[in-house]
Amino acid sequence: MTPGSSRRNARSRTSSSTEPNDGGDNSFGNTKPRRRDRNKNQNSIRILNVDIKIMLGISVLAFFVIFLLINNIIIKPAGKALRPRVITPFPSPKLMDLPQFQGEHRESLYWGTYRPHVYFGIRARTPRSLVAGLMWIGVKDGMYQMRHVCQDSDELNTYGWTQHNGRDFGHQVLVDQGLKLATSFLKSKSEGSGYGGDWAVQIDVQTDKSEWDNEMLRHGHLFFYLADESGHVLNLAGDTLDIDKNSLLASGSRSDIGDWQLHLESKDVLELHYSGFRTPHVHNLSDLVQHNLGAQVRKFGQLLLSDSSEGSPNILVFQISASIPFKADIAFVSGTEVKNSKVEERVSRLTGASLRSLLQDRKTEFDIKFQRYFNVADKLEPESTIVGKAAIANMLGGIGYFYGQSKISFPENSNLRDNFISYWPAELYTAVPSRPFFPRGFLWDEGFHQLLIWRWDIHICLDIIGHWLDLMNIDGWIPRELILGSEALSKVPEEFVVQYPSNGNPPTLFLVIRDLLDGMEKNKFTATERNGITSFLERAFVRLEAWFQWYNTTQKGKEMGSYYWHGRDNKVTRELNPKTLSSGLDDYPRASHPSDEERHLDLRCWMLLAANCMQSITQLFKKDNKPEKEYGSTAKLLSDFDMLNQMHLDPLVGAYFDFGNHTEKVRLSWKETTVGTRELVRDVLERPVSRLVPHIGYVSLFPFMGKIIPSDSWILEKQLDLIANSTVFWTDYGLRSLSKTSSMYMKRNTEHDPPYWRGPIWMNMNYMILSALFHYSKENGPYSDRARVIYDDLRGNLIRNVVRNYHQTGFLWEQYDQKKGKGKGARLFTGWTSLVLLIMAEAYT
């Protein structure tokens, strides 16, 4: 997992733009009359004296003609040229403009739980949406605490979606110390509904039996809010809210959905209060509510909203207080201005017994679809099935919609104070790795996410990939981390926001494309699905081609068939080994001294995957022979086993390595600074030389993961030996990321950076290794039986450990400790850790 963008200045690929004063303005302003021979010009002067008025008129006219020519021919084109290539969109039709993403498909996905960074949030897939969400008051260490934005410091016992279908239903359980909340989301499209339909939220509040005597948990306080990002006024139903007489809380109007209403119903006795705010900033809503409550507590000693509103509010917050346990149903209905819109009937359908029945139907449908698509019930015990459901539910429930402009490094422009320039305004519909830690788009994570999502809903999968490919610039580059909009920016430290256009990220979207191509070849899709995939790939081809060429030119090494990740800093003084953030493997040890001599094994294997996919697409669409031959020759070159071995294999060890300018004699040492303090700095004890980089780890297994090694090769046997060796990869919980024999094993990279990819177990790499083991166990060869034994043992270890951790802690984790199997890093990491479901289902390419 890549936690943020590189902090280092990357070498920009942007060509320098024309300066505003070049050409026309300078040549015009600096023009001086030539000195002429007086004798030769005496006649001209006499003529000018005679026709002075005429000549003056002609001169004025000529001046305006020249001015217009300069303005239209020189200045305007120069202005256009000033737009740097790095922020120029790729010049081809957008994938999201395809007919398959319009009409019913677009409307069906309009509303959703697309705010993954909050515990419960709803928005529409539109840049400036009406958004909704939930806050509540929890109790921690005998003090009231506001809950809203997902954050680890809240120390919730567990939270996450137990069921979610990615479209119109989700059920989530949140346990906050002794308080238990269940939130359910349901969408409905019925006669009279506006665009996108209606939606409902059911909130069920309980307390643990052990907390029944806790005075602070006898009453629950929920805060449900609506906020209009466009600034449209929200109308309160009345100064006094009484749902026994009228369930209406608020109403309003928008051009996208028409008039709308928000209703609240409950069989329990509820106390309602409200507050209205006028602000363009939705991301700091928690602060507004807490300030309002704080003022009320100081004035009246009551934890209640003020029952007041600023003028023309675009945010309304409703406090729902009651004795625990209690339930509340909230219904949002659109298109209420239409005659015969049947508002009462629709509200009734989305509340009470009818809502409970609809939710139960959706839960049953989810369970049936889960079993049909993944078929794990017969393979595993119920405890594992629960985790499998949580994996897919949180993957789908973590899909978000974002809109904004990325910040792109642009150091050439000295006029920019912060050395960045803004990308064009863009939208992104994407899954996220972790709601509390990484609630935004990560390019290399997304390929792994889609390995799950395409199996559940191919249309959502294509929609997400299309959004990513539409973010490509004219050079074929896609930002590797997308932080769009104020809500997303509020969760990211400023130093990690800027993206570097010379840096790539593993092109994992090709993993999904390979699956789709394979699925079409094996008739895994319906005719409708196949047509959708075909039309998608046909339009995507030119973008995929540009993406491939970007890697193939900007990340190419000096040797034929070699590549290296750009973005490593060769001037670091505080890092034990300069990080390679662009690879996605962050602190995984590479050559000690970064240079253009490097050959990165993992990138070479990613390029082989990409070349194979591009060749398959050209064959599918019978493109002209030139691109097919180009991709075919690239794939042939990169799959050349002898060349691979010459460039990356150490035959004595039987392992593959990176190549670069390297020495093992590097350490971190404490040094005195000029101000009398100490700092940990890099100390190089010998001169580096060009050599294989002798660290066995995940990168060493990339040719194995890519199934490049022939099934009868002695090198395959060596790979199996390394995998099964407890000193190298093997643990009882999964394969560790770096061998214990490595000099970098579990070493800190800086004073403040603990080991990340230097030992812990990561699910995405273990999934790819399992896929290869599964492949080789099916191949005819001398090592198939051994591959099967290792496969079975590794699969069992991974599943048992993830399931055990989930039931002990309530979470899926970013990584797992290689010594005891304990979850580490970000918790509620439901990105690629959710691949455990595919491991359970034995679903590989």
Side-chain angles (χ1 to χ4, degrees):
M1 175 64 222
T2 304
S5 301
S6 171
R7 305 186 192 191
R8 298 179 292 280
N9 289 329
R11 287 175 291 173
S12 176
R13 297 174 52 253
T14 310
S15 57
S16 59
S17 55
T18 307
E19 292 296 322
N21 292 326
D22 285 352
D25 284 344
N26 278 345
S27 60
F28 181 75
N30 293 333
T31 300
K32 296 180 180 180
R34 294 180 180 179
R35 296 181 64 191
R36 302 190 183 186
D37 183 7
R38 287 185 183 179
N39 294 327
K40 291 185 179 179
N41 285 315
Q42 285 177 349
N43 289 338
S44 298
I45 291 173
R46 281 197 293 268
I47 293 172
L48 184 60
N49 288 337
V50 173
D51 301 314
I52 187 72
K53 292 183 180 180
I54 297 173
M55 293 302 295
L56 279 173
I58 293 171
S59 298
V60 170
L61 180 62
F63 173 83
F64 279 107
V65 170
I66 292 170
F67 174 82
L68 289 172
L69 285 171
I70 291 172
N71 187 54
N72 287 282
I73 297 175
I74 299 175
I75 294 177
K76 286 189 177 178
K80 289 180 181 177
L82 284 174
R83 182 175 191 175
R85 290 179 64 85
V86 73
I87 60 167
T88 302
F90 190 79
S92 75
K94 285 189 171 184
L95 285 153
M96 297 319 301
D97 290 337
L98 280 168
Q100 68 194 73
F101 297 128
Q102 309 306 313
E104 185 179 348
H105 168 87
R106 189 179 185 86
E107 185 177 3
S108 71
L109 293 174
Y110 193 66
W111 291 107
T113 53
Y114 301 141
R115 301 175 66 216
H117 68 292
V118 296
Y119 288 115
F120 182 82
I122 299 167
R123 69 166 294 130
R125 293 204 319 173
T126 189
R128 304 187 71 79
S129 170
L130 187 67
V131 302
L134 177 70
M135 305 181 203
W136 74 90
I137 293 178
V139 176
K140 179 183 175 184
D141 299 328
M143 297 180 65
Y144 290 119
Q145 304 276 344
M146 181 65 79
R147 313 297 196 206
H148 179 213
V149 176
C150 300
Q151 49 192 13
D152 216 35
S153 58
D154 286 344
E155 296 182 1
L156 267 64
N157 304 70
T158 185
Y159 64 98
W161 300 98
T162 57
Q163 295 167 306
H164 201 298
N165 66 10
R167 289 184 171 270
D168 58 13
F169 162 73
H171 179 75
Q172 182 181 213
V173 175
L174 309 99
V175 180
D176 184 3
Q177 310 304 320
L179 188 67
K180 181 178 179 180
L181 289 84
T183 63
S184 297
F185 170 73
L186 180 85
K187 272 185 352 190
S188 172
K189 178 71 175 176
S190 58
E191 184 181 352
S193 297
Y195 186 82
D198 309 326
W199 49 260
V201 177
Q202 183 183 82
I203 309 169
D204 185 352
V205 184
Q206 307 279 339
T207 51
D208 191 88
K209 289 181 181 180
S210 63
E211 299 289 344
W212 282 358
D213 294 329
N214 188 338
E215 182 66 31
M216 298 182 80
L217 286 176
R218 288 185 179 178
H219 288 81
H221 302 278
L222 308 177
F223 301 84
F224 192 86
Y225 61 85
L226 281 180
D228 196 307
E229 293 178 324
S230 294
H232 294 122
V233 176
L234 309 185
N235 304 309
L236 193 66
D239 293 336
T240 303
L241 300 175
D242 185 352
I243 63 169
D244 291 331
K245 296 179 181 178
N246 185 357
S247 66
L248 181 65
L249 295 179
S251 61
S253 182
R254 286 178 57 91
S255 60
D256 50 354
I257 60 174
D259 292 353
W260 57 264
Q261 295 180 4
L262 185 74
H263 292 257
L264 169 66
E265 292 200 359
S266 177
K267 298 296 183 184
D268 298 302
V269 178
L270 306 180
E271 182 180 357
L272 295 183
H273 296 275
Y274 69 90
S275 192
F277 305 95
R278 180 75 189 174
T279 175
H281 307 296
V282 176
H283 67 274
N284 62 349
L285 188 51
S286 305
D287 296 336
L288 296 176
V289 173
Q290 289 184 88
H291 289 160
N292 188 286
L293 286 172
Q296 290 296 102
V297 169
R298 289 190 294 273
K299 286 181 182 178
F300 308 109
Q302 293 183 313
L303 202 63
L304 302 172
L305 288 176
S306 60
D307 290 326
S308 64
S309 175
E310 297 176 6
S312 304
N314 66 316
I315 299 173
L316 289 176
V317 184
F318 300 97
Q319 181 176 356
I320 306 168
S321 302
S323 297
I324 300 175
F326 68 92
K327 291 182 181 179
D329 297 338
I330 297 169
F332 177 90
V333 291
S334 58
T336 57
E337 80 282 4
V338 179
K339 189 176 180 181
N340 299 323
S341 59
K342 301 180 181 179
V343 172
E344 288 186 16
E345 181 181 322
R346 286 154 58 196
V347 171
S348 176
R349 186 171 182 270
L350 293 175
T351 55
S354 175
L355 176 59
R356 288 195 297 275
S357 177
L358 290 170
L359 288 171
Q360 186 55 52
D361 290 344
R362 293 293 198 282
K363 290 178 181 179
T364 302
E365 290 168 4
F366 173 89
D367 290 343
I368 292 171
K369 184 173 182 177
F370 176 84
Q371 179 57 24
R372 184 171 74 247
Y373 283 23
F374 299 108
N375 191 29
V376 298
D378 298 334
K379 299 178 181 180
L380 301 166
E381 66 282 353
E383 289 79 7
S384 297
T385 303
I386 290 170
V387 177
K389 288 180 180 179
I392 186 63
N394 281 289
M395 177 68 76
L396 296 166
I399 292 174
Y401 174 90
F402 308 92
Y403 182 85
Q405 291 177 270
S406 291
K407 293 180 179 180
I408 310 299
S409 174
F410 195 63
E412 294 90 341
N413 193 336
S414 58
N415 296 325
L416 295 177
R417 184 186 64 186
D418 298 316
N419 285 336
F420 69 79
I421 193 167
S422 294
Y423 225 43
W424 61 89
E427 60 180 355
L428 179 64
Y429 172 64
T430 185
V432 304
S434 172
R435 288 169 61 191
F437 286 91
F438 310 111
R440 53 193 181 275
F442 286 82
L443 180 57
W444 102 285
D445 294 64
E446 201 54 37
F448 292 107
H449 299 165
Q450 296 311 313
L451 293 177
L452 263 172
I453 292 176
W454 81 256
R455 289 173 164 89
W456 180 267
D457 191 321
I458 184 62
H459 305 291
I460 289 178
C461 170
L462 294 177
D463 197 315
I464 289 174
I465 297 174
H467 272 88
W468 275 100
L469 292 178
D470 280 349
L471 286 164
M472 181 178 292
N473 74 5
I474 194 171
D475 292 323
W477 175 74
I478 302 173
R480 66 188 191 89
E481 186 175 342
L482 271 298
I483 309 160
L484 304 177
S486 59
E487 288 196 308
L489 282 166
S490 69
K491 295 284 287 183
V492 185
E494 187 176 349
E495 64 266 28
F496 294 128
V497 170
V498 175
Q499 302 297 295
Y500 295 84
S502 61
N503 297 359
N505 226 194
T508 56
L509 295 181
F510 282 111
L511 290 171
V512 195
I513 292 169
R514 179 182 64 184
D515 271 10
L516 299 184
L517 291 166
D518 180 68
M520 287 200 295
E521 185 179 334
K522 296 176 180 176
N523 294 316
K524 292 181 180 179
F525 300 107
T526 66
T528 301
E529 291 170 341
R530 184 183 179 89
N531 290 338
I533 296 168
T534 301
S535 61
F536 179 88
L537 290 176
E538 193 160 24
R539 177 167 290 192
F541 180 79
V542 65
R543 290 177 181 269
L544 293 172
E545 193 168 39
W547 200 31
F548 178 89
Q549 292 302 334
W550 183 87
Y551 283 97
N552 202 38
T553 54
T554 69
Q555 310 294 295
K556 204 161 193 174
K558 284 193 169 183
E559 299 289 328
M560 181 180 290
S562 71
Y563 299 87
Y564 72 100
W565 296 108
H566 285 223
R568 300 189 74 209
D569 188 349
N570 61 7
K571 295 183 176 65
V572 294
T573 59
R574 292 182 176 86
E575 293 182 13
L576 180 62
N577 187 270
K579 290 194 291 290
T580 315
L581 295 175
S582 52
S583 73
L585 303 179
D586 294 17
D587 68 344
Y588 184 94
R590 308 282 183 164
S592 61
H593 290 66
S595 70
D596 58 5
E597 304 284 343
E598 286 189 86
R599 303 199 291 259
H600 289 148
L601 177 62
D602 52 335
L603 181 50
R604 176 194 170 101
C605 294
W606 287 122
M607 291 305 296
L608 173 57
L609 168 68
N612 279 329
C613 286
M614 294 306 296
Q615 184 185 22
S616 296
I617 296 172
T618 58
Q619 291 171 345
L620 177 68
F621 296 117
K622 296 181 173 57
K623 297 283 183 183
D624 60 84
N625 291 331
K626 186 179 178 182
E628 181 182 343
K629 286 181 179 178
E630 284 181 4
Y631 296 122
S633 61
T634 302
K636 184 177 180 181
L637 174 72
L638 296 179
S639 60
D640 186 313
F641 191 52
D642 291 333
M643 177 181 278
L644 171 69
N645 294 340
Q646 289 170 15
M647 297 177 74
H648 292 283
L649 178 70
D650 182 340
L652 295 177
V653 184
Y656 291 100
F657 300 103
D658 283 343
F659 180 91
N661 202 23
H662 182 74
T663 174
E664 282 287 279
K665 300 204 171 177
V666 181
R667 67 185 182 186
L668 291 177
S669 304
W670 289 104
K671 301 286 185 183
E672 296 289 334
T673 67
T674 55
V675 293
T677 59
R678 293 199 315 157
E679 63 179 357
L680 204 58
V681 298
R682 172 176 151 115
D683 193 7
V684 180
L685 303 178
E686 75 173 11
R687 190 179 185 87
V689 296
S690 296
R691 56 175 292 189
L692 293 173
V693 182
H695 298 291
I696 298 178
Y698 285 160
V699 165
S700 305
L701 292 179
F702 262 79
F704 177 79
M705 294 184 228
K707 307 168 183 107
I708 303 169
I709 304 169
S711 60
D712 59 354
S713 170
W714 66 271
I715 297 173
L716 178 59
E717 182 182 26
K718 287 290 187 181
Q719 301 288 290
L720 297 176
D721 288 343
L722 293 170
I723 290 170
N725 189 331
S726 60
T727 306
V728 184
F729 286 110
W730 193 265
T731 80
D732 291 337
Y733 316 104
L735 301 184
R736 60 170 67 91
S737 47
L738 189 64
S739 169
K740 291 168 71 174
T741 61
S742 169
S743 61
M744 294 285 179
Y745 177 69
M746 293 306 291
K747 292 282 183 69
R748 300 182 73 87
N749 203 48
T750 71
E751 180 182 357
H752 305 290
D753 291 340
Y756 200 46
W757 291 86
R758 295 182 180 178
I761 297 161
W762 293 81
M763 195 59 59
N764 59 337
M765 294 293 104
N766 273 269
Y767 172 79
M768 292 177 69
I769 293 164
L770 272 175
S771 179
L773 285 166
F774 189 77
H775 164 79
Y776 285 115
S777 73
K778 304 287 186 183
E779 289 285 294
N780 291 325
Y783 313 114
S784 59
D785 290 343
R786 187 163 185 228
R788 183 71 204 193
V789 171
I790 296 174
Y791 167 82
D792 288 337
D793 289 346
L794 177 58
R795 176 175 174 268
N797 287 347
L798 287 163
I799 293 171
R800 275 191 302 275
N801 191 56
V802 171
V803 170
R804 176 177 60 83
N805 268 276
Y806 181 85
H807 287 290
Q808 286 179 353
T809 68
F811 296 99
L812 296 177
W813 292 78
E814 182 181 14
Q815 53 181 218
Y816 293 88
D817 177 68
Q818 70 278 17
K819 294 180 180 178
K820 296 185 178 179
K822 185 179 179 181
K824 295 177 63 177
R827 63 178 193 167
L828 194 67
F829 192 94
T830 48
W832 60 45
T833 301
S834 296
L835 291 171
V836 69
L837 173 56
L838 297 188
I839 293 171
M840 293 175 178
E842 298 186 278
Y844 311 107
T845 300

